[in-house]
Amino acid sequence: MRSSETAGIFAASILLFVYYAYGKFFTSTAAADGWLSEPDQQFETRILQKETIHIVLIVADSDNPEKARPSLCERVETLLKSMLIFYEGELHVHLLTNTKSVDTFSMLFRTWPLARVRASFYNVEAEQRRLEWVKSTHEVSGYGQLKYVITDILPRYVEKAIFIDTDMMVLEDLSVLHSYFTFMDEKGIMFATASDQYRRKDLEESFGKGGGNASLNSGLVLYNLKVMREGNWSHLWRKTGVWLMNKLGNLKCPQDLLLAVALLRPDTYLRLPCAYNFQIGPYTRPEKCLKSRADVRNVKIPHWTGKLKFYDTIGYTAVFSPIYRCVQKMDGYELEEGTKTTEYRTITNLRNTPDIKKDTVTLVGHTYYAEAIELMRRLNSTWPGPISLAVCGSSWQRAQLLAFIFANPLHDSFNVHFVQLRNGSCPAHYLRRTAINESRTDRVLLSDTITSLQVDAGLRKMIADARAPIVLRNGETFSLVGL
C-alpha cells in the first residue's frame, strides 16, 4: 500500500474518533450557533433509553441492468457498521428487496450474526408494479416510489421507522435522530426530511415562487407510521399524486410528490436540520447548509449523491470519503459481540451483472486476495464467458478489491464474491461451494488451480464436448458430484 494512502486512512481514523467523541460529549455550541432546530435543541442533550430502532432500506438491484454495476450489498454492510459504532441499542432492519437481490442480502445477514441487529425481508416487486403510474424521469424511478407506501409494507406493530439511502453514513448516535419522533407525536406530524441542497429551477415552475427553497431530499425520512395510518396517509399521497401528475406529467424526482404533500399539508411535515442529510458531490450547494467550513464538524449523516459515490474527491467528499473507507475497512466481526458462530461473512455478487444464457459455461474458481487482482486481469482478457470467482480476504482487502473493480471495468459476465477471513483463513470447500452456487448457467467448469489455468484450444474443445459440469484438477477432469 502506498504511504500516501496509509497516511490518508490514518487521518480518517483520527477524524472518525473525533466524530465519535464529539457525538458522545455533544455541547450546546451548535444550538447557540443556530445550527439545530427547536426540537433538536430540546432533545439533543437528553440521555435516552436505548430502544429498538426500526431502519428501512431499499436494496433492490436492477433485475437486468444493461451493463454491470456495483451491487448495493457492500454499501449496506458499511452503513450498518457506521450505525453500530455510535448506537448502543438494537436495530431492526427492514430490507425492501426483489428476487434478484434477496439471496445476496440474506446471505450477508446469515453469515454475519450481529447480536444487536434483526433483519426482515420484503419482496416489493408487486408493490413496485402498482406504483408505475407515478412516472419519474429520475434514474431511481420505480423503486424510489416505494417511499410513498412504507405504511402498507411494514407490519402494523412498527409505529416509527427511519428510512435511509444506502449511499449515506451515520456519524452520530441514532437515538438523537430518533428523539424527533417525540416532537412529531406532540404535533401530529407524519413525516420529516431535510432540505434538498441543489439549485432546482424546475421547482419554481412546478410549485410557484419559493418552490426551490421549499425543496426536500428523501434520502433520509422519519416515518411516524402510527400517525400516518390514523391520518389516512394512503389516501393523502394518492390524491396528491393524481393532482401532481395532472399538473406536471412526469416528475423530475420521486421525492417531489412528498414535497407536494408537505406544501399542501404543512401540518403533516417537519423539516430536519440539514446536518442529517448533508449532500456531497457534483452540483451540490453546501452553502445552503453550512454557514462556514468549520460547521462541517456538525454533520451527522453525509449523503453521496454523485455517480462516483465514495470514490469522489470533489468538495466535501474529500472530507467524508476517507472516513467512509475507514469504516468500510473495519473488520466487523467485533460487532457480533460474543455471538457464537463459525460462519464466514459472505457478500456474493459484488457486481450486479446482466442476465446470461443458460447454455453457456461458467468458469468457477476461488483464490485469496493476494493473487486475486492479477488473476482477475488475466481471466478478464482470456475468458470472455461467465466467471464466478470467490475471493477470501479481510475487510481492508475487500475495500482494495472494490476500488480495483471500480477503476478497472471487468466484462459484464464477470461475477466476484467475497468471503471474510475468520481466524486467518477461509476453508477451500466453502469458497468452492460459494462460487458454484452463484453461477447462473447449466454447466460450469470448476478449476481448483485457477491461478495457473491456461485457457487454450485444448481446454475449449474439452468444454465443448462436455455435457455436464466438470472439475479440472492437475489437467484431469472429474465429476462435480459430491463437491
Side-chain angles (χ1 to χ4, degrees), residues 25-87:
F25 303 103
F26 189 87
T27 66
S28 59
T29 303
D33 290 343
W35 175 267
L36 303 177
S37 67
E38 177 185 344
D40 206 7
Q41 294 178 37
Q42 180 178 355
F43 297 116
E44 184 76 32
T45 56
R46 182 181 297 177
I47 298 175
L48 299 164
Q49 181 180 359
K50 301 301 180 184
E51 56 183 304
T52 298
I53 291 179
H54 294 272
I55 302 294
V56 181
L57 305 175
I58 295 178
V59 289
D61 281 312
S62 176
D63 292 325
N64 186 23
E66 293 182 3
K67 294 188 69 65
R69 61 184 65 182
S71 72
L72 298 174
C73 192
E74 200 279 335
R75 286 192 200 175
V76 169
E77 193 231 37
T78 303
L79 176 60
L80 279 175
K81 286 178 185 176
S82 73
M83 293 179 184
L84 294 171
I85 290 170
F86 294 93
Y87 179 61

Side-chain angles (χ1 to χ4, degrees), residues 159-208:
E159 297 184 348
K160 295 173 173 59
I162 300 173
F163 171 86
I164 185 166
D165 274 348
T166 58
D167 53 1
M168 304 176 88
M169 176 176 64
V170 178
L171 295 172
E172 182 188 64
D173 186 333
L174 276 174
S175 61
V176 179
L177 175 62
H178 196 265
S179 67
Y180 275 84
F181 282 116
T182 303
F183 181 84
M184 294 169 69
D185 281 338
E186 292 173 355
K187 303 294 183 181
I189 293 171
M190 294 185 181
F191 70 106
T193 72
S195 61
D196 201 23
Q197 292 147 37
Y198 283 85
R199 186 190 301 276
R200 289 191 56 192
K201 294 182 180 180
D202 62 288
L203 290 179
E204 298 285 340
E205 301 170 2
S206 302
F207 296 103

Side-chain angles (χ1 to χ4, degrees), residues 321-350:
S321 290
I323 300 175
Y324 182 91
R325 289 193 293 274
C326 182
V327 175
Q328 182 187 47
K329 294 178 178 181
M330 289 179 57
D331 182 85
Y333 280 136
E334 65 273 13
L335 298 173
E336 294 175 3
E337 298 175 352
T339 301
K340 294 181 179 180
T341 181
T342 57
E343 297 280 3
Y344 294 82
R345 187 161 82 252
T346 303
I347 299 180
T348 57
N349 305 305
L350 292 179

Side-chain angles (χ1 to χ4, degrees), residues 73-129:
C73 192
E74 200 279 335
R75 286 192 200 175
V76 169
E77 193 231 37
T78 303
L79 176 60
L80 279 175
K81 286 178 185 176
S82 73
M83 293 179 184
L84 294 171
I85 290 170
F86 294 93
Y87 179 61
E88 297 175 355
E90 296 183 351
L91 300 176
H92 186 165
V93 183
H94 304 266
L95 298 108
L96 314 188
T97 187
N98 58 3
T99 303
K100 179 73 175 287
S101 301
V102 66
D103 289 341
T104 296
F105 283 95
S106 60
M107 172 68 82
L108 171 62
F109 283 93
R110 181 178 65 78
T111 58
W112 192 30
L114 297 166
R116 295 188 286 121
V117 177
R118 175 186 172 191
S120 296
F121 297 88
Y122 307 80
N123 190 321
V124 291
E125 290 176 345
E127 291 286 352
Q128 185 266 339
R129 287 192 291 270

